[in-house]
């Protein structure tokens, strides 16, 4: 699979770790409690696409949704790190769209397929280095579909903040430079349809834009 162009400062990540239900309002809209510990899952790197590349809707799902997220790019190796170490290891942040086949997520206890279809992980358009290790608290994330705002959230409202998430992940999985951690989505997730234009914006980063297409080709 060719390496997509993600934008300045961004290389294809070695792995992608995601946090589910990290904003109270999104957990509530899904009728789920906020977990007592970060709820982790992974997206395959084969799902990564760059700015401008199409999100392709697979025939296996009738309910593909956007999830605008703040993506953290790891700058140095983290293994069983405390929050202080984790805070200092952030290379920067970017925009991530944790595209999800909601119908498959509901019916399959493992989310590998629902979260892992090719093109289900738009990333970019650049890496934004934080001004200081606590600046993540001021970040905001938004999603627009066809110019209409669907999601808006503040990192300060996360159940588990960036250092806590990175520290927690590193207690199970060693994080390497370039790895990407998607930190969860605020409320307002909703459907993507062919012809839509979806935008994820993270303050300081810019806007990640992707068109949405029906998947074409054999076995679509
Ligand atoms: Mg998500």
């Amino acid at each position: 699979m060719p390496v997509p162009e993600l934008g300045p400062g961004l290389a294809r990540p070695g792995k992608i770790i995601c946090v589910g239900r990290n904003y109270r309002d999104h957990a509530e809209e899904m009728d789920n409690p906020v977990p007592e510990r970060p709820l982790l899952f992974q997206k395959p790197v084969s799902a990564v696409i760059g700015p401008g590349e199409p999100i392709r809707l697979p025939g296996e799902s009738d309910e593909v949704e956007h999830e605008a997220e703040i993506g953290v790019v790891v700058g140095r190796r983290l293994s069983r790190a405390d929050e202080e170490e984790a805070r200092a290891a952030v290379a920067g942040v970017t925009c991530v769209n944790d595209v999800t086949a909601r119908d498959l997520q509901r019916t399959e206890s493992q989310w590998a397929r629902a979260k892992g279809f090719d093109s289900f992980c738009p990333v970019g358009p650049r890496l934004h280095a934080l001004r200081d290790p606590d600046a993540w608290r001021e970040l905001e994330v938004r999603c627009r579909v066809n110019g209409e705002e669907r999601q808006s959230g503040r990192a300060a409202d996360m159940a588990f903040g960036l250092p806590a998430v990175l520290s927690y992940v590193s207690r199970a999985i060693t994080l390497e430079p370039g790895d990407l951690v998607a930190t969860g989505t605020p409320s307002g997730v909703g459907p993507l349809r062919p012809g839509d234009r979806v935008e994820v914006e993270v303050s300081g980063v810019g806007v990640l834009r992707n068109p949405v297409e029906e998947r074409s080709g054999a076995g679509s």
Side-chain angles (χ1 to χ4, degrees), residues 1-4 6 11-17 42-50 115-123 178-180:
M1 185 161 297
V3 178
L6 304 183
R12 183 184 170 96
K15 57 183 172 291
I16 306 165
I17 311 288
Q42 296 191 61
K43 283 171 96 78
V45 292
S46 48
V48 171
I49 57 173
K115 298 278 195 178
F117 281 95
D118 290 354
S119 82
F120 271 25
C121 193
V123 176
D179 285 351
L180 179 65

Side-chain angles (χ1 to χ4, degrees), residues 19 41 67 69 98 115 184-185:
V19 186
F41 62 94
E67 292 191 4
E69 309 203 1
D98 174 20
K115 298 278 195 178
T185 201

